[in-house]
Amino acid sequence: NIPRLDYSNGTCPSLLVEPQRTNLALYSSSFDNVIWGKSKCTISANQTTSPDGTTNADKLIEDSSTGLHEVYSTTPFSLTVGVAYTKTIYAKSSERTQISLNFVTSGFSQGASVIANLTTGTLGTVNNVGGVTGSTATITNVGNGWYRISITMTPASTANFYADFSTALNGAINYTGNGTSGIFIWGAQLEVGSYPTSYIPTTSASVTRNADVISKTGISSLIGQTEGVVFTDFICDGFEDYGTPLSINDGTASNYIWLTTFANGNIRAEVYNGSVQASITYTGGVVGQRYKVAFAYKQNDFVMYVNGTQIGADASGNVPPSLSRIDYNLVNNWSLALLNVNASALWKTRLTNTQLAQLTTI
């Protein structure tokens, strides 16, 4: 019951609001466990400080043979065709400066892979095989030499997939090792979804983190009951249907004013009073981009601004009565998007269009 703050964008934190996710990878930071197979490498446990501040990060050390120096899940994951999955790992350079994330079936017959450079913080080309298309990857600097790397892949056919991590040398995963060089790894995660969420530690069983639900009730006096503005400044790291940066409502699904996102990249402002009273949609939202959204409401006078531009207006509709609650989720706790909320605000009067443009300009 404590809000999580994300400082990755600087000294001023964002409020982190995430959907429910499950980490399917077992013993997520214990690669010396037998659940993780080792091929042409060894694991030395607890060799350096991990991103959680304790000495629990392992070292993957290559042997002196030629081939793929990898640690992999001994129990494969049976994935659903057409569903996106995201695999992540934290890694830090040691003698080796590259790691490969291989999200593949046995023999690399289907799946995707990418090599990350742990000194420059850059990614190579995402490679798809076996009918897989459209896979994506990310790399994020999390401090103290650590990077979090992710790869998102959608299976093309029914198969068993392995979570596989290996050292790389000069962009190649098959090479002759020297028996002593390696990299540090920590915090493996495999989750259903088209983008990575924050790390969920596991041991002998998968672990589910519930959706973040942030709300405040009994604040009718702070909400404009006949007119006003809802405003939020956020970065959406992944669009999902009904991911809501901001909602004011009466605690039911019958009366609300919300700003919400959709999987197709749309951002919608909607007013509902027993039925839809007004609805204005911004199209073409991009993952990772910052959006400043303001929606002004008043009877028969609704307008939406995004990043300094008027998106649309609606001159017909009623304002729902008795608004008493603010949420960073939908009234019925539907799916949330992954949001980094920089700021949100309410006004009890309808600002002018000039003010709305100034408010939302980045």
Side-chain angles (χ1 to χ4, degrees):
N1 294 321
I2 298 175
R4 292 183 300 158
L5 300 180
D6 181 358
Y7 285 85
S8 62
N9 294 320
T11 57
C12 183
S14 298
L15 180 65
L16 183 62
V17 184
E18 294 189 287
Q20 178 175 299
R21 288 289 178 90
T22 299
N23 187 359
L24 302 173
L26 306 185
Y27 291 97
S28 58
S29 61
S30 301
F31 297 98
D32 57 328
N33 190 279
V34 294
I35 200 76
W36 292 100
K38 293 84 178 172
S39 176
K40 297 181 173 58
C41 73
T42 58
I43 294 292
S44 183
N46 304 328
Q47 291 301 297
T48 193
T49 303
S50 76
D52 76 0
T54 60
T55 306
N56 63 351
D58 297 345
K59 188 173 184 180
L60 190 165
I61 304 170
E62 65 191 37
D63 67 12
S64 57
S65 63
T66 300
L68 185 65
H69 308 279
E70 61 177 337
V71 58
Y72 58 92
S73 54
T74 55
T75 302
F77 300 97
S78 181
L79 307 185
T80 303
V81 175
V83 174
Y85 294 82
T86 297
K87 185 182 75 169
T88 53
I89 189 72
Y90 290 86
K92 181 178 181 177
S93 65
S94 185
E95 298 83 13
R96 296 301 181 208
T97 61
Q98 296 179 351
I99 184 173
S100 180
L101 276 68
N102 312 305
F103 199 2
V104 293
T105 60
S106 179
F108 283 62
S109 59
Q110 184 186 167
S113 63
V114 67
I115 293 176
N117 188 308
L118 302 175
T119 56
T120 62
T122 56
L123 295 172
T125 301
V126 178
N127 296 307
N128 295 297
V129 294
V132 172
T133 60
S135 300
T136 59
T138 66
I139 185 168
T140 304
N141 187 336
V142 297
N144 196 30
W146 285 96
Y147 291 89
R148 194 183 193 205
I149 307 104
S150 78
I151 187 167
T152 299
M153 184 271 301
T154 302
S157 60
T158 302
N160 288 326
F161 287 80
Y162 294 84
D164 182 298
F165 311 101
S166 64
T167 51
L169 180 63
N170 298 326
I173 58 176
N174 289 287
Y175 66 92
T176 302
N178 59 21
T180 58
S181 295
I183 55 173
F184 298 110
I185 55 175
W186 180 80
Q189 185 151 304
L190 175 61
E191 56 192 310
V192 178
S194 59
Y195 56 88
T197 62
S198 58
Y199 175 50
I200 306 169
T202 67
T203 53
S204 59
S206 61
V207 174
T208 298
R209 178 190 56 240
N210 292 329
D212 295 318
V213 178
I214 301 171
S215 63
K216 178 66 176 175
T217 60
I219 55 171
S220 300
S221 63
L222 304 179
I223 298 173
Q225 297 297 323
T226 59
E227 63 177 287
V229 173
V230 291
F231 165 79
T232 190
D233 174 353
F234 70 97
I235 298 170
C236 192
D237 288 343
F239 286 95
E240 289 188 8
D241 285 346
Y242 301 106
T244 305
L246 184 63
S247 167
I248 53 175
N249 54 79
D250 65 355
T252 74
S254 299
N255 297 289
Y256 60 76
I257 298 173
W258 72 28
L259 303 174
T260 191
T261 69
F262 292 88
N264 59 5
N266 289 349
I267 302 172
R268 180 186 299 169
E270 184 173 289
V271 179
Y272 196 91
N273 179 14
S275 62
V276 175
Q277 300 296 304
S279 180
I280 303 172
T281 300
Y282 170 85
T283 61
V286 177
V287 170
Q289 184 167 318
R290 180 183 179 190
Y291 293 98
K292 297 177 74 173
V293 183
F295 178 67
Y297 62 91
K298 190 175 183 178
Q299 185 170 357
N300 301 326
D301 180 12
F302 305 94
V303 65
M304 179 183 181
Y305 277 75
V306 177
N307 292 357
T309 300
Q310 185 182 125
I311 301 304
D314 192 328
S316 176
N318 297 314
V319 177
S322 304
L323 300 172
S324 59
R325 173 184 175 118
I326 183 171
D327 290 83
Y328 288 104
N329 76 303
L330 291 188
V331 175
N332 287 335
N333 292 332
W334 293 316
S335 178
L336 287 166
L338 173 60
L339 304 172
N340 289 286
V341 181
N342 299 316
S344 291
L346 305 177
W347 279 262
K348 296 174 67 175
T349 57
R350 190 236 194 260
L351 302 181
T352 67
N353 287 0
T354 298
Q355 290 172 320
L356 294 171
Q358 293 172 338
L359 176 65
T360 56
T361 296
I362 294 179

